[in-house]
Amino acid sequence: MSKKIAVILSGCGVYDGAEIHESVITLLRLDQRGAHVQCFAPDIAQLHVINHLTGEEMPESRNVLVESARIARGNVKDVREADVDDFDALIVPGGFGAAKNLSNFAADGAGCCVQPDVLALAEAFAEAGKPVGLMC
């Protein structure tokens, strides 16, 4: 029986979203191992948008769910739709999006808060005794 894995993305791009290499390699390896994967992301605005060529902040806004669809090739759902009972494990690839969009760690450090929908899902996995993999 194949494992079912939930993956939470935080946008698209190392400086303001999910790290693309970590995300894609994770998704590739899960596919190679026969896992059934569903990507999720919060349907929220990104903290900010970074020009990955120059490192400068850009004067625009983007949505984390919409940006995550770039990595997931459109196969991404709002994290509020995730049900721990449907999955065997949870994986969260790194990138600054985890510290900027999935939490406010980038601004508040150790006193940070995790985005409520992401926190609820992670806590549900912990309470169910199911593995959670965090990268970077």
Side-chain angles (χ1 to χ4, degrees):
M1 183 162 132
S2 296
K3 298 292 184 187
K4 296 179 182 176
I5 311 298
V7 175
I8 297 179
L9 299 173
S10 58
C12 182
V14 65
Y15 301 125
D16 56 8
E19 208 290 331
I20 296 168
H21 288 116
E22 286 180 16
S23 300
V24 171
I25 289 170
T26 297
L27 295 172
L28 174 63
R29 190 62 179 148
L30 290 169
D31 182 66
Q32 289 172 336
R33 300 292 296 174
H36 295 285
V37 176
Q38 178 60 60
C39 292
F40 295 94
D43 188 5
I44 58 173
Q46 286 185 191
L47 175 66
H48 57 238
V49 177
I50 301 295
N51 177 327
H52 283 66
L53 184 60
T54 66
E56 305 276 326
E57 189 171 341
M58 298 175 62
E60 62 184 79
S61 65
R62 295 187 185 176
N63 179 282
V64 174
L65 180 62
V66 171
E67 289 299 297
S68 295
R70 294 173 183 268
I71 294 174
R73 301 180 79 190
N75 185 19
V76 63
K77 295 180 179 179
D78 188 320
V79 71
R80 291 177 291 193
E81 295 180 43
D83 183 341
V84 67
D85 294 332
D86 294 339
F87 297 97
D88 299 299
L90 172 67
I91 297 178
V92 183
F96 284 109
K100 295 177 177 179
N101 302 324
L102 302 185
S103 72
N104 61 359
F105 181 80
D108 293 345
C112 73
C113 295
V114 177
Q115 197 277 341
D117 300 319
V118 172
L119 180 60
L121 186 59
E123 287 177 335
F125 271 86
E127 289 170 11
K130 295 181 178 184
V132 176
L134 306 168
M135 296 182 188
C136 202

